[in-house]
Amino acid sequence: MTTSVRVSVGGATLAVQVRGDGPPLLLVHGFPLDQSMWSHQLVAFSGWRRIAPDLRGAGASEAPPGEYSMARYADDLVMVLDAVGAKSAVCCGLSMGGYVLFELMRRHPERVRALILCDTKADADTPQGKQGRDELAALAEREGMAPVGERLLPKLLGRTTQARDQALVETVRAMVLRSPVTGVAGALRAMRDRPDSTALLGEIRVPTLVVGGAEDELTPPSVMQPMAQGIRGARYVEVPTAGHLCPLEQPDAVNEAVRDFLKGV
Ligand code: MLT
């Protein structure tokens, strides 16, 4: 059974799904999504306490106006772990969720027992990328989520999913469209300003699994594989016929890789 809990963090209340008992497994979603992107992982991994928050400004969490940053998201996660009584967790993050976990590693390394990095990257935005973030944030604030969704959706899912799984395309579209504009604009500016985490890779000393979709165009295997090679002892798994959202697109393959990794943690 999944329990929904509300956790007060500085200036916002977060919605957090908690399922099962055992050592904690924290699931941190990507952008512009919410914890429901982990629906398959929340029902798998019995023997683990799965904890899936909506970050501030996402899903059913509050979206306060003001500054959003990787540091703030990371500090929020610490308050979530405190609220559910978890000293540390195996931390799994997808894309922006991975950026947040890099910050968690920098600020609160003692809370990270092991890392699972899905479809993410260590480097910061290029100047052109930063400009794109500003344009997208302005578009969201001016016109709402519909045009933002039109731009992002084709990049979020792999070509195989887009051709064969219309139901999943619609599920992800709905997730994007219900994202609060304040939180989306805040997340875009937080990603724009995130630090480069490349130097951190060589300092990671916890067991690490890197998982990426073979058809991911945002963080392709040519980015994910070298990132894994930069982390001591990291395992790399490439998931066939999946794009940027491989835990939703090919849950069986992702869950098998994660289950295998968790056995050794
Ligand atoms: C995500 O899925 O979180 C985003 O693609 C991250 C990004 O835009 O850099």
Side-chain angles (χ1 to χ4, degrees):
M1 196 186 77
T2 308
T3 314
S4 301
V5 295
R6 308 281 302 173
V7 177
S8 287
V9 294
T13 301
L14 305 189
V16 184
Q17 303 297 313
V18 183
R19 186 169 175 132
D21 281 317
L25 171 63
L26 180 69
L27 300 161
V28 188
H29 63 79
F31 166 88
L33 307 170
D34 57 45
Q35 58 75 25
S36 66
M37 62 146 288
W38 299 114
S39 54
H40 299 285
Q41 286 67 45
L42 271 168
V43 297
F45 313 125
S46 55
W48 289 81
R49 189 169 186 215
R50 287 87 79 197
I51 305 157
D54 285 334
L55 293 172
R56 71 168 59 216
S61 289
E62 285 177 355
E67 200 200 319
Y68 287 63
S69 66
M70 292 303 143
R72 176 158 279 182
Y73 290 131
D75 291 352
D76 287 351
L77 290 182
V78 168
M79 281 184 260
V80 168
L81 291 177
D82 285 345
V84 300
K87 284 202 172 77
S88 67
V90 175
C91 296
C92 171
L94 182 133
S95 201
M96 187 179 93
Y99 310 159
V100 178
L101 293 186
F102 288 137
E103 197 59 38
L104 188 67
M105 285 294 291
R106 265 190 291 272
R107 295 169 75 81
H108 310 281
E110 73 288 353
R111 310 305 291 254
V112 183
R113 180 175 166 199
L115 266 179
I116 304 172
L117 300 170
C118 303
D119 302 278
T120 192
K121 59 181 179 228
D123 40 341
D125 280 357
T126 60
Q128 197 188 1
K130 287 179 196 284
Q131 195 183 331
R133 301 288 193 197
D134 285 334
E135 285 165 10
L136 204 57
L139 180 67
E141 286 168 338
R142 206 173 52 239
E143 297 179 31
M145 285 308 291
V148 175
E150 287 318 306
R151 279 205 199 175
L152 294 181
L153 256 178
K155 298 183 197 155
L156 289 175
L157 294 166
R159 59 179 180 279
T160 305
T161 302
Q162 294 191 49
R164 296 194 197 152
D165 195 344
Q166 198 52 36
L168 183 52
V169 173
E170 293 314 320
T171 298
V172 174
R173 187 193 309 280
M175 210 188 303
V176 171
L177 290 181
R178 69 174 176 255
S179 298
V181 165
T182 313
V184 166
L188 283 162
R189 293 177 182 126
M191 289 192 285
R192 176 196 64 192
D193 296 338
R194 77 186 187 280
D196 191 302
S197 296
T198 313
L200 177 75
L201 300 180
E203 291 166 20
I204 295 175
R205 293 289 178 268
V206 293
T208 302
L209 171 68
V210 175
V211 189
E215 299 176 3
D216 184 347
E217 291 179 12
L218 292 172
T219 46
S222 60
V223 167
M224 296 287 288
Q225 191 162 22
M227 184 176 76
Q229 278 165 355
I231 303 172
R232 199 164 76 172
R235 192 183 301 175
Y236 171 64
V237 176
E238 186 178 310
V239 181
T241 64
H244 192 58
L245 302 186
C246 66
L248 261 180
E249 294 176 65
Q250 292 298 337
D252 291 346
V254 170
N255 289 358
E256 190 186 319
V258 171
R259 200 172 284 115
D260 211 47
F261 173 74
L262 291 175
K263 274 189 220 149
V265 170

